[in-house]
Each structure stands twice: as C-alpha cells, then as structure tokens.
C-alpha cells in the first residue's frame, strides 16, 4: 500500500514560502537583470554585439551546468547551506560588474554569478519538495517564485541603473546579500532546520 503519512502531516507553508522567496531573489540576479544596461556596458568597454550576446549565454550555461555538481556536493554534504551561499555569490559578482575594466573581467563576473545562481536550485528544490510534502500544487509555489524573479529582473535592472548608475551598481547586491544573511539566520534556528 502507498503511504499517505507525508501528506497527512500537511504542508510546511513557512518553509515553502521562504524557499520560494529565495527562488525569486536568486533568479532576479540572472542575465536579464543586466539586459537594460548592455548598451551602456558595450559603449564603456567598446564591445561588439557578438561579445555582448555571448554574456547571457555564458551566465545561463554556467547556472545550468553548475546545478548537477552542486546537487552532488549537497547530497554528500547536506549541511552545506547552498540556499544561502548561492544568493550571496550571485549578488556579489553581479554587483562587481560596476568595476569590470575589461571584457574578460566582465565575463568572469557573469560566469561566477552563474555559479551562484545554479547553486541555489538543487538544494532549494529538494527542500521545497520536502516542505510541500510531495504535493504538486504546493511545489508550484517554488516554481512561480523563480518565474517572478526572472520576470521582474529587467525592471529591477533598469531601476537599479536609474538609482545608482553603472558606477554604483554594486549596490544592487544588497537584496541578495540581505536574503543570504536572513537565510543563514533561519538555518540556525532549531525550529527551522532546513538542512536536516
């Protein structure tokens, strides 16, 4: 007989909403965040369209290809808080675009930010699945969080650029770093042992 015990315990809504919010935060640091500034970056570094066009591809591939490796690492060492480290890494390296003096440095920032984005997803999805008790409708909240983050990223990029300009775009890292700190605090609470 198929056990219904996990469903009987109900959905851990607080945990699921926290992880869904994190999915929104991490996906808001994707390549679409920088899309409104690509013309400015291209002019500043004298880049061609092919060079600018390669940046989203590099970040997207890195974010995707990093996930199996991070998944393997967090399976072997489940106490690694990838759900907190991922947003911090992504935020820092997206923010460092402000200081990139060359195309190589810019590409490195995108590459490393992609690793941060990829780091969140395996552990985040696993924890969200456990919090949703295997229920598809509940698990969809995690997916929707990511879609919201990805969708609002260009708007956020335009807002950050209007507020800070490219010279102080590093301030765009603040939300991701704040979320990472908050997640680490949550992980330390006995009643919120996300990585057990």
């Amino acid at each position: 007989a198929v056990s219904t015990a996990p469903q009987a315990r109900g959905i851990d809504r607080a945990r699921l909403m926290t992880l869904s919010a994190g999915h929104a935060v991490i996906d808001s640091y994707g390549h679409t965040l920088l899309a409104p500034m690509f013309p400015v970056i291209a002019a500043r570094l004298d880049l061609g369209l092919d060079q600018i066009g390669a940046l989203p591809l590099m970040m997207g591939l890195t974010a995707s290809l990093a996930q199996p490796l991070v998944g393997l690492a967090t399976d072997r060492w489940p106490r690694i808080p990838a759900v907190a480290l991922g947003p911090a890494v992504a935020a820092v390296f997206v923010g460092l675009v402000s200081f990139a003096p060359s195309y190589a440095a810019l590409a490195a920032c995108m590459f490393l930010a992609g690793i941060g984005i990829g780091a969140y997803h395996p552990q985040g999805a696993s924890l969200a699945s456990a919090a949703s008790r295997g229920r598809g409708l509940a698990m969809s909240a995690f997916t929707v969080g990511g879609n919201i983050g990805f969708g609002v990223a260009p708007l956020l990029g335009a807002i950050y650029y209007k507020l800070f300009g490219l010279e102080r775009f590093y301030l765009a890292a603040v939300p991701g770093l704040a979320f990472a700190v908050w997640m680490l605090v949550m992980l330390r609470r006995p009643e919120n042992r996300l990585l057990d």
Side-chain angles (χ1 to χ4, degrees):
V2 177
S3 173
T4 58
Q7 284 80 4
R9 292 200 302 269
I11 298 167
D12 189 338
R13 288 180 176 82
R15 181 180 295 193
L16 183 58
M17 289 302 103
T18 298
L19 293 164
S20 299
H23 199 186
V25 170
I26 195 69
D27 280 6
S28 74
Y29 282 98
H31 62 270
T32 57
L33 178 71
L34 298 175
M37 295 179 297
F38 279 155
V40 178
I41 294 171
R44 178 184 182 185
L45 298 178
D46 193 26
L47 304 179
L49 291 177
D50 55 335
Q51 292 174 300
I52 287 292
L55 293 173
L57 176 64
M58 180 183 306
M59 191 181 206
L61 284 176
T62 306
S64 296
L65 296 177
Q67 291 187 38
L69 297 176
V70 174
L72 178 63
T74 54
D75 281 345
R76 294 191 63 175
W77 301 286
R79 301 297 296 177
I80 296 175
V83 290
L85 294 176
V89 170
V92 165
F93 285 103
V94 166
L96 287 177
V97 167
S98 287
F99 306 109
S102 65
Y103 184 71
L106 179 62
C109 287
M110 300 287 279
F111 179 87
L112 294 167
I115 291 176
I117 293 167
Y120 182 86
H121 288 81
Q123 194 176 66
S126 176
L127 294 171
S129 180
S132 67
R133 311 303 187 200
R135 296 181 182 177
L137 181 60
M139 183 62 186
S140 68
F142 179 79
T143 302
V144 168
N147 290 338
I148 290 172
F150 189 81
V152 302
L155 177 61
L156 289 175
I159 291 171
Y160 292 149
Y161 179 72
K162 185 174 182 180
L163 291 175
F164 310 130
L166 190 57
E167 294 73 18
R168 293 188 299 145
F169 191 75
Y170 58 86
L171 294 173
V174 170
L177 292 172
F179 178 82
V181 170
W182 179 57
M183 183 61 80
L184 282 174
V185 170
M186 293 286 289
L187 291 172
R188 289 174 177 269
R189 294 180 180 178
E191 70 273 19
N192 290 317
R193 292 192 181 276
L194 296 176
L195 301 183
D196 282 350

